[in-house]
Amino acid sequence: MSVRNGFQVPPSWAPVPYGNPASPYAFYIPRVARRLQELGGGHLAFEQSMEGAKHFKEHPEWFALVDGKRTDGGHHMRQYCQSDPEVRRRVTEFILRKLRENKGVGYFLFGDVDTPHGACECANCVAMDSPKDRASLSARKSRTTRFVKVVNDICGKVFEEFPNADLWMWAYSTYRELPQDGVRPDPRLKLYFCTHERCYGHGLDDPACPRNVRMFGLLNGWREMLPRAALYEYLSCTPNPYTPNENVQAHDIRLFKTMKLLGWKEEAHFSDSHMYGRNIDDQRQRYPSNWQWLYVTGHLLWNPDLDENAILEDAESKYYGVAYPAMRKY
C-alpha cells in the first residue's frame, strides 16, 4: 500500500542487506540508498554499543543508579550512566566502526531508551542537568540539557575522524524541551523533532490551538539551533479507526515546505505486510479505514501544491463508483 502510493519505506530498525538478494529484506535494497542506511541509534543508541546487560555483573558502574542501586533495568527500560567515560567511549567506537565499515556513508541517530523513567541518578549525571530541570515538580522532568551535553561529547569525537558524518539527534520525550543554561547542540548535527502529544485536529501552526502553539514553539526553538531539521509524526500510532485528516495534513505539508524542513516521517505499521508479525486488531483497521489520508499524503509529499480536495474527488469517485453520490456526504 505504501509503496503504491509513492512513499519511501525504510525497514523498521533493521539494516538493508546490500549484497544479499536472498534476504527477506532484499525488497529494500533498490529502495534505500546507502547514504540513507541506518547505522544504528534511536532508542538503542546506548543499548547497541553496551550490549544490553551483558556486562552488568563485572561493570555495574556502567549502568544507571536508581534509588541508590545500580540496575540493568530490563528490556527496553535499560539506562546507562551517561557520565561514565567508558560508556561514552563505547558508544563513540560503535559509531566509528559502523562508519568505517560503510566507508563513511549512512546515518546515526542519537536517542535514548523509550521510557521517561530510570535515568541515572549518580552525582555526575545529575550535575549535567540544569538547576531549572532539577527544580521542576513535573513527573517527567526534562533531561535535555544532560542529553545534549552527552551527545555533543560523543559526536565531537566522531566528527574528528568523519567531518561529514550524517549524525542526527532526536528531540523526544524527556529530551524534547529546549536545553538550558546556554547549552546548545553541536551545529553539525541534524534534528528529528518528534511531535507526539500534538493535536491533529488543527494545523501545527494554528494559533487557536494551545497544544499546537506550544509544540510549534518548541519546534522553532530547536530550529534556531539546528536548522537542518525533519519531523517525526505519529498520527497512525494514535488510535484512529477513522480520522478525516486530509485537509490538516495538506496544510501541514505545505507549512513544512515553507519551513524548508528536510523531511517528514510517519511511524507506520502495515498489518498486511509479511515483514510485520504482530497481529493487533486495532492496527488491522487503521489504514483500510484511513486510506484517503494515506492516498492524499502520498501525493502531496511529491507535490505539496496539489489540491487535496481534487485528489480526494478523483480517488473516491473511482473507489465508490456508482455509490459515490450517496457516499460523498460522509
Side-chain angles (χ1 to χ4, degrees), residues 100-221:
R100 291 165 189 152
E101 290 172 354
N102 288 275
K103 299 181 181 180
V105 299
Y107 76 94
F108 185 88
L109 172 63
F110 287 100
D112 213 340
V113 64
D114 197 9
T115 175
H117 310 294
C120 187
E121 299 169 356
C122 80
N124 289 334
C125 281
V126 172
M128 291 191 293
D129 295 330
S130 164
K132 296 178 183 178
D133 298 335
R134 292 195 292 269
S136 172
L137 298 178
S138 171
R140 291 180 52 160
K141 293 183 180 180
S142 173
R143 294 192 176 88
T144 307
T145 307
R146 175 194 303 197
F147 183 70
V148 170
K149 289 178 180 178
V150 173
V151 171
N152 281 350
D153 180 51
I154 296 171
C155 78
K157 294 181 176 64
V158 174
F159 283 129
E160 287 178 8
E161 182 173 341
F162 292 95
N164 296 317
D166 194 10
L167 304 182
W168 293 69
M169 68 169 288
W170 264 333
Y172 179 94
S173 186
T174 54
Y175 46 101
R176 188 172 61 191
E177 298 295 318
L178 299 176
Q180 302 293 320
D181 307 334
V183 173
R184 295 292 181 266
D186 189 309
R188 294 171 290 184
L189 290 163
K190 297 176 185 175
L191 174 74
Y192 249 129
F193 184 84
C194 301
T195 64
H196 38 33
E197 298 177 345
R198 68 159 287 183
C199 167
Y200 284 105
H202 301 90
L204 188 58
D205 63 339
D206 190 335
C209 178
R211 184 178 287 266
N212 284 355
V213 166
R214 181 178 183 280
M215 191 66 65
F216 194 54
L218 278 175
L219 171 59
N220 285 323

Side-chain angles (χ1 to χ4, degrees), residues 25-26 34 38 54 56 63 73 111 127 133 153 235 237 242 257 310:
Y25 290 93
R34 281 185 179 267
E38 179 183 307
K54 178 179 178 180
F56 181 68
F63 294 78
D133 298 335
D153 180 51
L235 175 65
C237 292
Y242 176 65
K257 176 186 175 182

Side-chain angles (χ1 to χ4, degrees), residues 46-47 50 52-53 55-56 59-74 77-84 87 112-113 115-126 128 143 146:
F46 290 85
E47 180 87 355
M50 299 305 295
H55 304 288
F56 181 68
H59 288 290
E61 72 277 9
W62 294 351
F63 294 78
L65 181 73
V66 180
D67 296 330
K69 295 181 180 180
R70 297 287 177 177
T71 175
D72 76 350
M77 295 287 285
R78 187 174 295 114
Q79 301 221 46
Y80 299 90
C81 180
Q82 295 180 355
S83 64
D84 188 287
V87 171
D112 213 340
V113 64
T115 175
H117 310 294
C120 187
E121 299 169 356
C122 80
N124 289 334
C125 281
V126 172
M128 291 191 293
R143 294 192 176 88
R146 175 194 303 197

